[in-house]
mmCIF file of all heavy atoms in Angstrom:
data_model
loop_
_atom_site.group_PDB
_atom_site.id
_atom_site.type_symbol
_atom_site.label_atom_id
_atom_site.label_comp_id
_atom_site.label_asym_id
_atom_site.label_seq_id
_atom_site.Cartn_x
_atom_site.Cartn_y
_atom_site.Cartn_z
ATOM 1 N N GLY A 1 2.646 -12.752 6.668
ATOM 2 C CA GLY A 1 2.988 -12.320 8.038
ATOM 3 C C GLY A 1 1.883 -11.755 8.852
ATOM 4 O O GLY A 1 1.759 -11.778 10.035
ATOM 5 N N ASN A 2 0.905 -10.987 8.159
ATOM 6 C CA ASN A 2 -0.195 -10.323 8.810
ATOM 7 C C ASN A 2 -1.514 -10.806 8.245
ATOM 8 O O ASN A 2 -1.905 -10.267 7.273
ATOM 9 C CB ASN A 2 -0.031 -8.755 8.581
ATOM 10 C CG ASN A 2 -1.014 -8.010 9.462
ATOM 11 O OD1 ASN A 2 -2.020 -8.601 9.966
ATOM 12 N ND2 ASN A 2 -0.809 -6.796 9.607
ATOM 13 N N PRO A 3 -2.074 -11.841 8.765
ATOM 14 C CA PRO A 3 -3.306 -12.447 8.249
ATOM 15 C C PRO A 3 -4.565 -11.393 8.252
ATOM 16 O O PRO A 3 -5.540 -11.698 7.627
ATOM 17 C CB PRO A 3 -3.553 -13.582 9.210
ATOM 18 C CG PRO A 3 -2.201 -13.913 9.850
ATOM 19 C CD PRO A 3 -1.531 -12.553 9.938
ATOM 20 N N SER A 4 -4.382 -10.315 9.009
ATOM 21 C CA SER A 4 -5.555 -9.386 8.981
ATOM 22 C C SER A 4 -5.674 -8.607 7.614
ATOM 23 O O SER A 4 -6.732 -8.136 7.336
ATOM 24 C CB SER A 4 -5.212 -8.370 10.013
ATOM 25 O OG SER A 4 -4.298 -7.466 9.745
ATOM 26 N N LYS A 5 -4.584 -8.666 6.901
ATOM 27 C CA LYS A 5 -4.618 -8.066 5.557
ATOM 28 C C LYS A 5 -4.951 -9.252 4.561
ATOM 29 O O LYS A 5 -4.260 -10.101 4.249
ATOM 30 C CB LYS A 5 -3.286 -7.493 5.134
ATOM 31 C CG LYS A 5 -2.864 -6.320 6.004
ATOM 32 C CD LYS A 5 -3.724 -5.137 5.779
ATOM 33 C CE LYS A 5 -3.281 -3.891 6.452
ATOM 34 N NZ LYS A 5 -4.225 -2.700 6.379
ATOM 35 N N THR A 6 -6.098 -9.029 3.959
ATOM 36 C CA THR A 6 -6.659 -10.069 3.035
ATOM 37 C C THR A 6 -6.951 -9.723 1.688
ATOM 38 O O THR A 6 -7.270 -10.537 0.753
ATOM 39 C CB THR A 6 -7.994 -10.676 3.707
ATOM 40 O OG1 THR A 6 -8.991 -9.645 3.790
ATOM 41 C CG2 THR A 6 -7.666 -11.274 5.035
ATOM 42 N N GLU A 7 -6.713 -8.418 1.322
ATOM 43 C CA GLU A 7 -7.113 -7.952 -0.014
ATOM 44 C C GLU A 7 -6.104 -6.896 -0.389
ATOM 45 O O GLU A 7 -5.734 -5.983 0.225
ATOM 46 C CB GLU A 7 -8.480 -7.264 -0.017
ATOM 47 C CG GLU A 7 -8.906 -6.737 -1.418
ATOM 48 C CD GLU A 7 -10.259 -6.140 -1.346
ATOM 49 O OE1 GLU A 7 -10.797 -5.865 -0.180
ATOM 50 O OE2 GLU A 7 -10.719 -5.622 -2.458
ATOM 51 N N MET A 8 -5.479 -7.106 -1.625
ATOM 52 C CA MET A 8 -4.618 -6.194 -2.236
ATOM 53 C C MET A 8 -5.410 -5.190 -3.037
ATOM 54 O O MET A 8 -6.209 -5.473 -3.866
ATOM 55 C CB MET A 8 -3.617 -6.787 -3.184
ATOM 56 C CG MET A 8 -2.676 -7.782 -2.405
ATOM 57 S SD MET A 8 -1.517 -8.458 -3.740
ATOM 58 C CE MET A 8 -0.929 -9.966 -2.839
ATOM 59 N N ILE A 9 -4.992 -3.861 -2.898
ATOM 60 C CA ILE A 9 -5.731 -2.739 -3.680
ATOM 61 C C ILE A 9 -4.682 -2.077 -4.506
ATOM 62 O O ILE A 9 -3.611 -1.549 -3.941
ATOM 63 C CB ILE A 9 -6.423 -1.676 -2.741
ATOM 64 C CG1 ILE A 9 -7.486 -2.379 -1.887
ATOM 65 C CG2 ILE A 9 -7.028 -0.631 -3.584
ATOM 66 C CD1 ILE A 9 -8.600 -3.023 -2.740
ATOM 67 N N PHE A 10 -4.685 -1.987 -5.872
ATOM 68 C CA PHE A 10 -3.796 -1.503 -6.705
ATOM 69 C C PHE A 10 -4.248 -0.053 -7.197
ATOM 70 O O PHE A 10 -3.336 0.746 -7.651
ATOM 71 C CB PHE A 10 -3.590 -2.368 -7.997
ATOM 72 C CG PHE A 10 -3.251 -3.800 -7.562
ATOM 73 C CD1 PHE A 10 -4.144 -4.791 -7.899
ATOM 74 C CD2 PHE A 10 -2.109 -4.065 -6.770
ATOM 75 C CE1 PHE A 10 -3.829 -6.126 -7.573
ATOM 76 C CE2 PHE A 10 -1.877 -5.364 -6.493
ATOM 77 C CZ PHE A 10 -2.744 -6.442 -6.870
ATOM 78 N N ASP A 11 -5.470 0.222 -7.159
ATOM 79 C CA ASP A 11 -5.995 1.547 -7.664
ATOM 80 C C ASP A 11 -5.995 2.581 -6.557
ATOM 81 O O ASP A 11 -5.782 2.289 -5.306
ATOM 82 C CB ASP A 11 -7.377 1.379 -8.257
ATOM 83 C CG ASP A 11 -7.443 0.473 -9.335
ATOM 84 O OD1 ASP A 11 -6.413 0.426 -10.188
ATOM 85 O OD2 ASP A 11 -8.415 -0.248 -9.540
ATOM 86 N N ALA A 12 -6.299 3.840 -6.942
ATOM 87 C CA ALA A 12 -6.433 4.830 -6.006
ATOM 88 C C ALA A 12 -7.665 4.627 -5.058
ATOM 89 O O ALA A 12 -8.667 4.083 -5.606
ATOM 90 C CB ALA A 12 -6.660 6.213 -6.682
ATOM 91 N N PHE A 13 -7.636 5.052 -3.850
ATOM 92 C CA PHE A 13 -8.781 4.945 -3.028
ATOM 93 C C PHE A 13 -9.746 6.163 -3.262
ATOM 94 O O PHE A 13 -9.219 7.272 -3.263
ATOM 95 C CB PHE A 13 -8.406 4.893 -1.565
ATOM 96 C CG PHE A 13 -7.874 3.562 -1.034
ATOM 97 C CD1 PHE A 13 -6.540 3.409 -0.913
ATOM 98 C CD2 PHE A 13 -8.742 2.494 -0.798
ATOM 99 C CE1 PHE A 13 -6.019 2.203 -0.481
ATOM 100 C CE2 PHE A 13 -8.265 1.293 -0.466
ATOM 101 C CZ PHE A 13 -6.820 1.077 -0.272
ATOM 102 N N HIS A 14 -11.022 5.945 -3.348
ATOM 103 C CA HIS A 14 -11.979 7.053 -3.287
ATOM 104 C C HIS A 14 -12.877 7.128 -2.061
ATOM 105 O O HIS A 14 -13.789 7.974 -1.886
ATOM 106 C CB HIS A 14 -12.882 6.878 -4.545
ATOM 107 C CG HIS A 14 -11.965 6.968 -5.816
ATOM 108 N ND1 HIS A 14 -11.438 8.063 -6.234
ATOM 109 C CD2 HIS A 14 -11.814 5.930 -6.671
ATOM 110 C CE1 HIS A 14 -10.842 7.802 -7.428
ATOM 111 N NE2 HIS A 14 -10.843 6.447 -7.671
ATOM 112 N N ASP A 15 -12.721 6.130 -1.194
ATOM 113 C CA ASP A 15 -13.193 6.066 0.113
ATOM 114 C C ASP A 15 -12.157 5.654 1.095
ATOM 115 O O ASP A 15 -11.035 5.274 0.705
ATOM 116 C CB ASP A 15 -14.328 5.087 0.161
ATOM 117 C CG ASP A 15 -15.554 5.539 -0.739
ATOM 118 O OD1 ASP A 15 -16.108 6.632 -0.435
ATOM 119 O OD2 ASP A 15 -15.847 4.799 -1.639
ATOM 120 N N ARG A 16 -12.362 5.713 2.341
ATOM 121 C CA ARG A 16 -11.450 5.320 3.384
ATOM 122 C C ARG A 16 -11.122 3.827 3.248
ATOM 123 O O ARG A 16 -12.049 2.999 2.933
ATOM 124 C CB ARG A 16 -12.023 5.519 4.724
ATOM 125 C CG ARG A 16 -12.148 6.958 5.186
ATOM 126 C CD ARG A 16 -12.769 7.060 6.532
ATOM 127 N NE ARG A 16 -11.939 6.389 7.556
ATOM 128 C CZ ARG A 16 -12.186 6.282 8.781
ATOM 129 N NH1 ARG A 16 -13.449 6.834 9.211
ATOM 130 N NH2 ARG A 16 -11.574 5.667 9.702
ATOM 131 N N PRO A 17 -9.938 3.464 3.186
ATOM 132 C CA PRO A 17 -9.527 2.063 3.059
ATOM 133 C C PRO A 17 -10.109 1.187 4.218
ATOM 134 O O PRO A 17 -10.254 1.733 5.351
ATOM 135 C CB PRO A 17 -8.014 1.919 2.993
ATOM 136 C CG PRO A 17 -7.622 3.310 3.675
ATOM 137 C CD PRO A 17 -8.659 4.296 3.399
ATOM 138 N N GLN A 18 -10.461 -0.010 3.946
ATOM 139 C CA GLN A 18 -10.803 -0.926 4.943
ATOM 140 C C GLN A 18 -9.627 -1.529 5.643
ATOM 141 O O GLN A 18 -8.470 -1.597 5.206
ATOM 142 C CB GLN A 18 -11.688 -2.053 4.391
ATOM 143 C CG GLN A 18 -13.007 -1.639 3.646
ATOM 144 C CD GLN A 18 -13.813 -0.762 4.615
ATOM 145 O OE1 GLN A 18 -14.326 -1.312 5.695
ATOM 146 N NE2 GLN A 18 -14.233 0.463 4.246
ATOM 147 N N ALA A 19 -9.792 -1.901 6.929
ATOM 148 C CA ALA A 19 -8.726 -2.471 7.744
ATOM 149 C C ALA A 19 -7.984 -3.625 7.061
ATOM 150 O O ALA A 19 -6.887 -3.848 7.202
ATOM 151 C CB ALA A 19 -9.163 -2.801 9.101
ATOM 152 N N ASN A 20 -8.816 -4.460 6.327
ATOM 153 C CA ASN A 20 -8.198 -5.665 5.730
ATOM 154 C C ASN A 20 -7.512 -5.455 4.366
ATOM 155 O O ASN A 20 -6.876 -6.298 3.818
ATOM 156 C CB ASN A 20 -9.407 -6.723 5.403
ATOM 157 C CG ASN A 20 -10.257 -6.359 4.334
ATOM 158 O OD1 ASN A 20 -10.775 -5.086 4.418
ATOM 159 N ND2 ASN A 20 -10.469 -7.136 3.395
ATOM 160 N N GLN A 21 -7.571 -4.207 3.973
ATOM 161 C CA GLN A 21 -7.014 -3.900 2.666
ATOM 162 C C GLN A 21 -5.484 -3.382 2.671
ATOM 163 O O GLN A 21 -5.169 -2.616 3.505
ATOM 164 C CB GLN A 21 -7.863 -2.823 1.984
ATOM 165 C CG GLN A 21 -9.271 -3.209 1.505
ATOM 166 C CD GLN A 21 -10.003 -2.107 0.998
ATOM 167 O OE1 GLN A 21 -9.946 -0.967 1.404
ATOM 168 N NE2 GLN A 21 -11.012 -2.475 0.052
ATOM 169 N N LEU A 22 -4.707 -3.963 1.830
ATOM 170 C CA LEU A 22 -3.284 -3.623 1.693
ATOM 171 C C LEU A 22 -3.114 -2.792 0.480
ATOM 172 O O LEU A 22 -3.352 -3.330 -0.663
ATOM 173 C CB LEU A 22 -2.402 -4.975 1.647
ATOM 174 C CG LEU A 22 -0.996 -4.645 1.417
ATOM 175 C CD1 LEU A 22 -0.335 -4.011 2.609
ATOM 176 C CD2 LEU A 22 -0.247 -6.047 1.197
ATOM 177 N N HIS A 23 -2.664 -1.602 0.534
ATOM 178 C CA HIS A 23 -2.441 -0.778 -0.656
ATOM 179 C C HIS A 23 -1.148 -1.099 -1.277
ATOM 180 O O HIS A 23 -0.061 -0.925 -0.646
ATOM 181 C CB HIS A 23 -2.499 0.733 -0.231
ATOM 182 C CG HIS A 23 -2.846 1.613 -1.476
ATOM 183 N ND1 HIS A 23 -2.654 2.942 -1.473
ATOM 184 C CD2 HIS A 23 -3.245 1.255 -2.737
ATOM 185 C CE1 HIS A 23 -3.014 3.455 -2.652
ATOM 186 N NE2 HIS A 23 -3.352 2.456 -3.422
ATOM 187 N N VAL A 24 -1.023 -1.435 -2.554
ATOM 188 C CA VAL A 24 0.061 -1.736 -3.299
ATOM 189 C C VAL A 24 0.252 -0.759 -4.396
ATOM 190 O O VAL A 24 -0.514 -0.918 -5.561
ATOM 191 C CB VAL A 24 0.117 -3.174 -3.828
ATOM 192 C CG1 VAL A 24 1.283 -3.569 -4.602
ATOM 193 C CG2 VAL A 24 -0.294 -4.204 -2.735
ATOM 194 N N SER A 25 1.050 0.259 -4.249
ATOM 195 C CA SER A 25 0.943 1.332 -5.337
ATOM 196 C C SER A 25 2.294 1.380 -6.081
ATOM 197 O O SER A 25 3.362 0.741 -5.656
ATOM 198 C CB SER A 25 0.859 2.726 -4.565
ATOM 199 O OG SER A 25 1.805 2.937 -3.606
ATOM 200 N N SER A 26 2.267 1.935 -7.300
ATOM 201 C CA SER A 26 3.278 1.843 -8.306
ATOM 202 C C SER A 26 3.580 3.259 -8.969
ATOM 203 O O SER A 26 2.647 3.926 -9.189
ATOM 204 C CB SER A 26 2.908 0.893 -9.432
ATOM 205 O OG SER A 26 2.642 -0.445 -8.912
ATOM 206 N N THR A 27 4.726 3.365 -9.247
ATOM 207 C CA THR A 27 5.168 4.578 -10.132
ATOM 208 C C THR A 27 6.082 4.080 -11.301
ATOM 209 O O THR A 27 6.818 3.217 -11.067
ATOM 210 C CB THR A 27 6.004 5.600 -9.233
ATOM 211 O OG1 THR A 27 5.114 6.092 -8.191
ATOM 212 C CG2 THR A 27 6.399 6.747 -10.017
ATOM 213 N N ARG A 28 5.902 4.783 -12.354
ATOM 214 C CA ARG A 28 6.748 4.566 -13.555
ATOM 215 C C ARG A 28 7.350 5.786 -13.985
ATOM 216 O O ARG A 28 6.618 6.751 -14.336
ATOM 217 C CB ARG A 28 5.847 3.864 -14.740
ATOM 218 C CG ARG A 28 5.309 2.474 -14.407
ATOM 219 C CD ARG A 28 6.426 1.447 -14.178
ATOM 220 N NE ARG A 28 5.916 0.074 -13.910
ATOM 221 C CZ ARG A 28 5.957 -0.297 -12.556
ATOM 222 N NH1 ARG A 28 6.352 0.561 -11.562
ATOM 223 N NH2 ARG A 28 5.610 -1.459 -12.277
ATOM 224 N N CYS A 29 8.724 5.830 -14.061
ATOM 225 C CA CYS A 29 9.327 7.155 -14.352
ATOM 226 C C CYS A 29 10.746 6.836 -14.770
ATOM 227 O O CYS A 29 11.479 6.050 -14.258
ATOM 228 C CB CYS A 29 9.318 8.032 -13.059
ATOM 229 S SG CYS A 29 10.073 9.656 -13.355
ATOM 230 N N GLY A 30 11.184 7.580 -15.861
ATOM 231 C CA GLY A 30 12.580 7.576 -16.135
ATOM 232 C C GLY A 30 13.224 6.231 -16.320
ATOM 233 O O GLY A 30 12.823 5.398 -17.044
ATOM 234 N N ASN A 31 14.397 6.110 -15.747
ATOM 235 C CA ASN A 31 15.275 4.991 -15.881
ATOM 236 C C ASN A 31 15.445 4.161 -14.525
ATOM 237 O O ASN A 31 16.415 3.328 -14.463
ATOM 238 C CB ASN A 31 16.649 5.319 -16.362
ATOM 239 C CG ASN A 31 16.479 6.064 -17.719
ATOM 240 O OD1 ASN A 31 16.159 5.342 -18.821
ATOM 241 N ND2 ASN A 31 16.810 7.339 -17.748
ATOM 242 N N ILE A 32 14.516 4.319 -13.607
ATOM 243 C CA ILE A 32 14.617 3.522 -12.253
ATOM 244 C C ILE A 32 14.810 2.121 -12.483
ATOM 245 O O ILE A 32 13.907 1.395 -12.939
ATOM 246 C CB ILE A 32 13.439 3.909 -11.436
ATOM 247 C CG1 ILE A 32 13.317 5.451 -11.299
ATOM 248 C CG2 ILE A 32 13.603 3.274 -10.075
ATOM 249 C CD1 ILE A 32 11.984 5.901 -10.732
ATOM 250 N N PRO A 33 15.887 1.456 -12.096
ATOM 251 C CA PRO A 33 15.976 0.048 -12.235
ATOM 252 C C PRO A 33 14.888 -0.727 -11.336
ATOM 253 O O PRO A 33 14.411 -1.797 -11.765
ATOM 254 C CB PRO A 33 17.389 -0.371 -11.723
ATOM 255 C CG PRO A 33 18.123 0.898 -11.825
ATOM 256 C CD PRO A 33 17.124 2.047 -11.603
ATOM 257 N N GLY A 34 14.638 -0.137 -10.105
ATOM 258 C CA GLY A 34 13.626 -0.837 -9.236
ATOM 259 C C GLY A 34 13.859 -0.436 -7.769
ATOM 260 O O GLY A 34 14.874 -0.599 -7.363
ATOM 261 N N THR A 35 12.821 0.101 -7.271
ATOM 262 C CA THR A 35 12.796 0.532 -5.763
ATOM 263 C C THR A 35 11.635 -0.072 -5.176
ATOM 264 O O THR A 35 10.469 0.116 -5.729
ATOM 265 C CB THR A 35 12.924 2.037 -5.565
ATOM 266 O OG1 THR A 35 14.157 2.409 -6.172
ATOM 267 C CG2 THR A 35 12.819 2.301 -4.097
ATOM 268 N N HIS A 36 11.611 -0.779 -4.094
ATOM 269 C CA HIS A 36 10.558 -1.347 -3.469
ATOM 270 C C HIS A 36 10.531 -0.894 -1.939
ATOM 271 O O HIS A 36 11.621 -1.048 -1.302
ATOM 272 C CB HIS A 36 10.530 -2.759 -3.545
ATOM 273 C CG HIS A 36 10.176 -3.238 -5.033
ATOM 274 N ND1 HIS A 36 11.158 -3.462 -5.861
ATOM 275 C CD2 HIS A 36 9.028 -3.486 -5.544
ATOM 276 C CE1 HIS A 36 10.751 -3.828 -6.975
ATOM 277 N NE2 HIS A 36 9.406 -3.990 -6.893
ATOM 278 N N LYS A 37 9.455 -0.355 -1.409
ATOM 279 C CA LYS A 37 9.394 0.018 -0.012
ATOM 280 C C LYS A 37 8.225 -0.618 0.574
ATOM 281 O O LYS A 37 7.119 -0.932 -0.024
ATOM 282 C CB LYS A 37 9.191 1.475 0.107
ATOM 283 C CG LYS A 37 10.388 2.332 -0.197
ATOM 284 C CD LYS A 37 10.208 3.760 -0.176
ATOM 285 C CE LYS A 37 11.488 4.608 -0.332
ATOM 286 N NZ LYS A 37 12.443 4.617 0.733
ATOM 287 N N VAL A 38 8.425 -0.879 1.962
ATOM 288 C CA VAL A 38 7.252 -1.370 2.817
ATOM 289 C C VAL A 38 7.166 -0.334 3.916
ATOM 290 O O VAL A 38 8.253 -0.168 4.679
ATOM 291 C CB VAL A 38 7.454 -2.746 3.262
ATOM 292 C CG1 VAL A 38 6.258 -3.224 4.204
ATOM 293 C CG2 VAL A 38 7.564 -3.826 2.080
ATOM 294 N N PHE A 39 5.999 0.198 4.182
ATOM 295 C CA PHE A 39 5.764 1.157 5.232
ATOM 296 C C PHE A 39 5.052 0.456 6.393
ATOM 297 O O PHE A 39 3.916 -0.037 6.186
ATOM 298 C CB PHE A 39 5.039 2.333 4.918
ATOM 299 C CG PHE A 39 5.608 3.040 3.659
ATOM 300 C CD1 PHE A 39 5.289 2.664 2.452
ATOM 301 C CD2 PHE A 39 6.638 4.099 3.823
ATOM 302 C CE1 PHE A 39 5.850 3.316 1.283
ATOM 303 C CE2 PHE A 39 7.188 4.705 2.740
ATOM 304 C CZ PHE A 39 6.750 4.324 1.457
ATOM 305 N N PHE A 40 5.510 0.454 7.682
ATOM 306 C CA PHE A 40 4.707 0.113 8.747
ATOM 307 C C PHE A 40 4.453 1.522 9.508
ATOM 308 O O PHE A 40 5.407 2.066 10.181
ATOM 309 C CB PHE A 40 5.475 -0.820 9.744
ATOM 310 C CG PHE A 40 5.668 -2.187 8.984
ATOM 311 C CD1 PHE A 40 6.886 -2.364 8.339
ATOM 312 C CD2 PHE A 40 4.726 -3.195 8.932
ATOM 313 C CE1 PHE A 40 7.113 -3.660 7.696
ATOM 314 C CE2 PHE A 40 4.976 -4.420 8.193
ATOM 315 C CZ PHE A 40 6.102 -4.652 7.652
ATOM 316 N N ASP A 41 3.292 1.950 9.532
ATOM 317 C CA ASP A 41 3.053 3.215 10.073
ATOM 318 C C ASP A 41 2.174 3.166 11.490
ATOM 319 O O ASP A 41 1.113 2.654 11.350
ATOM 320 C CB ASP A 41 2.394 4.207 9.070
ATOM 321 C CG ASP A 41 2.225 5.619 9.583
ATOM 322 O OD1 ASP A 41 3.438 6.231 9.471
ATOM 323 O OD2 ASP A 41 1.267 6.120 9.982
ATOM 324 N N GLY A 42 2.735 3.825 12.462
ATOM 325 C CA GLY A 42 2.059 3.799 13.738
ATOM 326 C C GLY A 42 1.663 5.228 14.200
ATOM 327 O O GLY A 42 1.868 6.218 13.443
ATOM 328 N N THR A 43 1.027 5.180 15.265
ATOM 329 C CA THR A 43 0.779 6.583 15.819
ATOM 330 C C THR A 43 1.880 7.451 16.188
ATOM 331 O O THR A 43 1.823 8.751 16.153
ATOM 332 C CB THR A 43 -0.250 6.423 17.043
ATOM 333 O OG1 THR A 43 0.409 5.614 18.050
ATOM 334 C CG2 THR A 43 -1.454 5.809 16.649
ATOM 335 N N ALA A 44 3.009 6.923 16.640
ATOM 336 C CA ALA A 44 4.171 7.565 17.102
ATOM 337 C C ALA A 44 5.361 7.570 16.123
ATOM 338 O O ALA A 44 6.167 8.425 16.203
ATOM 339 C CB ALA A 44 4.558 7.009 18.400
ATOM 340 N N ASP A 45 5.356 6.652 15.122
ATOM 341 C CA ASP A 45 6.573 6.602 14.298
ATOM 342 C C ASP A 45 6.209 5.700 13.036
ATOM 343 O O ASP A 45 5.134 5.104 12.935
ATOM 344 C CB ASP A 45 7.717 5.937 15.063
ATOM 345 C CG ASP A 45 7.474 4.679 15.728
ATOM 346 O OD1 ASP A 45 6.456 4.031 15.387
ATOM 347 O OD2 ASP A 45 8.200 4.230 16.583
ATOM 348 N N THR A 46 7.174 5.699 12.181
ATOM 349 C CA THR A 46 7.110 4.910 10.883
ATOM 350 C C THR A 46 8.394 4.071 10.773
ATOM 351 O O THR A 46 9.466 4.501 10.969
ATOM 352 C CB THR A 46 6.886 5.805 9.574
ATOM 353 O OG1 THR A 46 5.754 6.543 9.881
ATOM 354 C CG2 THR A 46 6.848 5.032 8.350
#
């Protein structure tokens, strides 16, 4: 949907992310069957 994102990053960032990088983060805990979120974050709202 957004061709400006061309690279998935799974690890922690140690520098500022580049504009083309999409952060795909994960948590493993307890008995969670599965939760997935997508955040669109702007200057005024999320």
Side-chain angles (χ1 to χ4, degrees):
N2 185 346
S4 70
K5 295 294 185 181
T6 60
E7 181 185 5
M8 299 180 198
I9 301 295
F10 309 118
D11 297 327
F13 283 106
H14 301 289
D15 294 298
R16 291 177 59 184
Q18 301 299 307
N20 69 308
Q21 293 177 325
L22 175 66
H23 200 195
V24 181
S25 56
S26 302
T27 297
R28 296 290 175 265
C29 181
N31 301 291
I32 303 166
T35 299
H36 292 86
K37 289 181 178 284
V38 180
F39 305 90
F40 297 96
D41 190 73
T43 54
D45 53 17
T46 300

